[in-house]
Amino acid sequence: ARNFPETKTNRYIIYKLHNIVNSGASEYSHMLIKNFSYMMFILMPLFGVWIFIFGRKRLKYYLEALTISIHFHCFVFLMFTFIALIGTVISTIIPLMLGLLFIPVYMFMMIKNTLKQSIGITIIKTGVIGVLYGGSLLVLMLVTIVVSILFT
């Protein structure tokens, strides 16, 4: 841990991490949750872009893809809300696993019904859109965590 070069940026990051670990964990978690909500407002239109790119023959306007994206995210948020409610009564592990398994199935059904293409094409498009969405989600989560650390 002591192999970092002594730069102003490194000292600032170490200082922020030290504050989070020693005193500001609740402040950091509050900032992280707030920033995750902002992240979702970036992710929803980005998911709409992925849907629009792969559905441009069937979708005339980006607004249609954005509506599909909002619909999908509402479903996911509602599903995780139910999982959290179930978690107050029983363990959340099984409902969480089922939910994570059902998200790609729901995405497939949504894309199939929206773009009205063959099952094979829909599987390929769902896979590519899912990978792009997952990559976007990971990048935005990392950025959100870093921003939350730097501005706590």
Side-chain angles (χ1 to χ4, degrees):
R2 303 231 182 247
N3 296 335
F4 289 112
E6 276 289 319
T7 65
K8 191 175 187 177
T9 304
N10 286 347
R11 282 195 304 270
Y12 180 73
I13 291 171
I14 290 170
Y15 167 77
K16 294 304 261 178
L17 289 172
H18 181 269
N19 281 347
I20 290 169
V21 168
N22 290 326
S23 62
S26 65
E27 180 183 339
Y28 173 73
S29 64
H30 175 71
M31 175 73 81
L32 188 63
I33 290 169
K34 183 176 113 180
N35 288 342
F36 269 122
S37 65
Y38 294 146
M39 177 196 77
M40 292 311 296
F41 281 107
I42 295 169
L43 190 62
M44 277 193 263
L46 186 58
F47 184 61
V49 168
W50 302 137
I51 292 172
F52 186 68
I53 288 171
F54 287 95
R56 65 184 173 268
K57 290 182 181 178
R58 301 275 187 202
L59 302 174
K60 195 171 183 180
Y61 301 105
Y62 168 72
L63 189 57
E64 294 171 299
L66 183 61
T67 304
I68 294 165
S69 173
I70 292 169
H71 166 86
F72 176 75
H73 283 90
C74 286
F75 164 77
V76 172
F77 294 148
L78 188 62
M79 184 185 66
F80 281 124
T81 300
F82 284 133
I83 289 170
L85 289 172
I86 290 169
T88 60
V89 179
I90 62 170
S91 172
T92 58
I93 235 15
I94 292 172
L96 185 61
M97 291 300 165
L98 289 173
L100 291 175
L101 207 62
F102 192 65
I103 289 173
V105 171
Y106 187 80
M107 185 188 297
F108 170 82
M109 293 184 324
M110 179 187 71
I111 291 172
K112 175 81 174 109
N113 289 333
T114 303
L115 302 182
K116 299 187 185 341
Q117 295 176 325
S118 70
I119 291 175
I121 297 290
T122 304
I123 289 172
I124 292 168
K125 286 186 177 186
T126 301
V128 173
I129 291 171
V131 167
L132 290 169
Y133 179 76
S136 302
L137 179 64
L138 285 174
V139 168
L140 287 172
M141 285 177 89
L142 288 173
V143 168
T144 300
I145 290 168
V146 169
V147 166
S148 297
I149 289 171
L150 294 179
F151 295 107
T152 299

